Amino acid sequence: MTLAISKTKIYEPLTTSGAINLLKELDFFKKDSLLTCNEIGDGNLNLVFQVAEPQSGKSCIIKQALPYAKVVGESWPLTLSRAKIEADALKLYKEHVPQFVPEIYYTNDDLAITVMEDLSSLKITRKGLIAGEEYPHLPNHLGEFLAKTLFYTSDFYLEPPAKKILARKFSNPELCKITEDLVFTDPFFNSDTNDFEPELFDDVQSLWNDFSLKLEVAKLKKSFLTESEALIHGDLHTGSIFSDQSTTKVIDPEFAFFGPIGFDIGQFFANLIFQLLSNPKEKEKLISGYIAEAWNTFEKTYSDLWRKESREKYTEVDGYLDYVLKKIFQDAVGFAGCELIRRTIGLAHVEDLDGICDKHLRITAKKASIQLGREFIKTRGLQTGPESILPLLSETAAYAGIK
């Protein structure tokens, strides 16, 4: 579907009436259509409108970047160019994994908007998991999504000049700075952005005083800052994935940039683990299985692409693939550890943990999250695959399940 080009050039935040008028101007709907429009965004940075024509059942989503962080307000200004980065990333994903991303109908860099497919027939994966739903294809789909998007944007597939040009296109310093601060720095120091219950103070103080831990986090932050291995989504949590029993769609790559391959994998793992922590007795087997299956699918798909489509001569050298996969997994474990800690005591929490009604169980789950995060970060160099971290998950589940 190709929409007409809007004549509007001057940025201003959309309202519900403005969203309707824009879509009529773009000829997505007829001028006399009776439409409904709701602002449905529950994220931290953007406006999201769902516009529908009840009579025909036709609908779409308009996402617009705000010039500040929605979660904080105008005191935290942000560039609007992140909307273009997000749209460009989705278009690139569409080339390699069309089945796993929404259709993009229209983009406007001046207005910082993207008009895209309405995925409301699916459910945000985090909310579905919290509600007790299971998604049998989620791990395979994410394993394939990660393997293909990360391989096809890496030096193993792209010629070096082409990759460097693409990396410049996805330069994303402002949103990278958010990750650098909120994931890798603030939670490990006594920072104003941190947010945690008084009952966690001793655990947090221990974290801040653990200098061997800080050394390992510093290494992970250095990797994030300097290793431009592939185009990463940059914010791949379960709130950025829509699912049902047969379909998976990845959204919201506005944090996309060229970074370490293990980062996306680690974020996905950590956000699955929050579900294990929220209901360990019922979710341990399910979530552990998801993590193992996602990695195994990633490893197989990535290895197949490496052998069949790599353009780097050194990929023919015995042992190189094993080295790369080992590094990716160990990086993923370390990055998962940082995500576990930051979502527990940092600025942006997760509903999986904060939504635990029983206060004692909620605090226990958060203590377990902090401890597992520390273990992941410190022991990542010893991890060789899912089978090596499953005992840690089992121990954590047993601790979090204590009444």
Side-chain angles (χ1 to χ4, degrees):
M1 178 185 300
T2 302
L3 299 184
I5 298 175
S6 171
K7 301 179 180 65
T8 306
K9 294 291 185 182
I10 300 174
Y11 176 89
E12 61 180 23
L14 285 174
T15 61
T16 54
S17 61
I20 288 173
N21 291 337
L22 176 67
L23 288 175
K24 288 184 176 182
E25 180 186 336
L26 291 170
D27 296 328
F28 190 85
F29 297 103
K30 294 179 180 179
K31 297 293 189 289
D32 59 353
S33 296
L34 296 177
L35 306 177
T36 62
C37 181
N38 296 297
E39 208 283 305
I40 60 172
D42 61 356
N44 297 323
L45 301 178
N46 307 290
L47 296 172
V48 182
F49 297 93
Q50 181 189 48
V51 184
E53 186 178 45
Q55 185 175 6
S56 67
K58 185 179 179 181
S59 64
C60 69
I61 296 294
I62 301 180
K63 182 172 181 179
Q64 183 181 42
L66 289 168
Y68 53 84
K70 185 179 175 184
V71 68
V72 176
E74 296 184 15
S75 63
W76 189 342
L78 285 175
T79 179
L80 295 174
S81 64
R82 68 185 192 274
K84 176 174 172 52
I85 285 176
E86 176 176 3
D88 287 345
L90 288 171
K91 292 172 185 176
L92 186 58
Y93 292 161
K94 195 70 179 175
E95 296 177 19
H96 303 303
V97 284
Q99 70 275 35
F100 298 138
V101 291
E103 294 286 347
I104 302 299
Y105 302 137
Y106 172 80
T107 61
N108 186 308
D109 297 342
D110 295 315
L111 300 179
I113 66 168
T114 301
V115 181
M116 69 183 80
E117 178 184 1
D118 183 3
L119 300 176
S120 58
S121 62
L122 309 176
K123 184 173 283 188
I124 295 173
T125 305
R126 188 186 306 282
K127 293 185 179 297
L129 290 171
I130 290 172
E133 296 183 6
E134 297 182 10
Y135 300 113
H137 294 287
L138 174 68
N140 281 328
H141 288 173
L142 260 293
E144 182 180 350
F145 169 86
L146 288 162
K148 289 183 176 178
T149 58
L150 295 169
F151 176 81
Y152 283 124
T153 58
S154 75
D155 289 295
F156 303 121
Y157 179 77
L158 295 175
E159 296 294 341
K163 178 171 173 282
K164 290 176 174 63
I165 291 170
L166 199 60
R168 285 200 297 271
K169 180 178 179 179
F170 284 96
S171 176
N172 201 356
E174 280 196 316
L175 269 67
C176 285
K177 184 65 164 62
I178 292 175
T179 304
E180 292 154 15
D181 290 343
L182 299 187
V183 176
F184 294 108
T185 305
D186 292 355
F188 301 95
F189 296 86
N190 188 5
S191 305
D192 291 340
T193 60
N194 291 330
D195 176 22
F196 54 87
E197 293 90 337
E199 292 85 352
L200 297 176
F201 182 78
D202 288 345
D203 299 81
V204 174
Q205 188 111 39
S206 173
L207 195 78
W208 292 342
N209 291 330
D210 188 341
F211 292 98
S212 62
L213 173 71
K214 287 186 173 182
L215 174 60
E216 297 309 313
V217 176
K219 295 175 185 177
L220 288 163
K221 182 177 180 179
K222 179 178 182 292
S223 171
F224 184 83
L225 288 167
T226 62
E227 294 184 12
S228 303
E229 294 180 333
L231 179 66
I232 65 173
H233 180 287
D235 197 27
L236 191 61
H237 53 77
T238 49
S240 295
I241 305 166
F242 277 83
S243 301
D244 68 10
Q245 296 303 299
S246 60
T247 305
T248 306
K249 300 283 186 179
V250 174
I251 62 168
D252 291 351
E254 61 192 323
F255 280 77
F257 85 111
F258 272 74
I261 288 175
F263 187 77
D264 282 350
I265 301 169
Q267 288 220 315
F268 179 57
F269 284 179
N271 281 271
L272 289 176
I273 290 169
F274 290 129
Q275 262 302 288
L276 182 154
L277 294 172
S278 71
N279 193 352
K281 292 181 181 178
E282 295 185 11
K283 294 291 184 76
E284 179 190 350
K285 183 177 179 181
L286 176 73
I287 296 303
S288 295
Y290 280 4
I291 289 172
E293 193 172 350
W295 173 259
N296 291 338
T297 300
F298 170 86
E299 183 178 45
K300 181 182 185 307
T301 306
Y302 196 90
S303 298
D304 288 345
L305 293 170
W306 175 287
R307 296 184 182 104
K308 296 174 183 176
E309 300 195 46
S310 177
R311 299 173 182 177
E312 164 58 55
K313 288 296 292 181
Y314 277 100
T315 57
E316 300 172 7
V317 175
D318 288 345
Y320 191 23
L321 174 60
D322 291 339
Y323 163 80
V324 169
L325 289 170
K326 180 180 177 182
K327 179 184 184 302
I328 291 171
F329 186 81
Q330 291 177 345
D331 286 351
V333 172
F335 291 132
C338 294
E339 176 76 352
L340 287 167
I341 290 170
R342 81 95 167 192
R343 291 287 192 179
T344 305
I345 65 173
L347 177 65
H349 289 194
V350 290
E351 185 182 353
D352 313 63
L353 297 185
D354 281 3
I356 301 173
C357 295
D358 184 301
K359 183 177 181 180
H360 174 70
L361 289 179
R362 183 172 67 252
I363 296 301
T364 302
K366 291 190 173 188
K367 286 175 176 283
S369 182
I370 294 170
Q371 182 56 34
L372 183 60
R374 292 174 77 162
E375 286 294 315
F376 271 6
I377 292 167
K378 286 186 166 185
T379 68
R380 69 188 188 283
L382 304 175
Q383 310 306 334
T384 56
E387 69 287 343
S388 69
I389 64 169
L390 292 183
L392 286 174
L393 296 182
S394 184
E395 292 171 14
T396 301
Y399 175 82
I402 295 173
K403 183 72 175 176

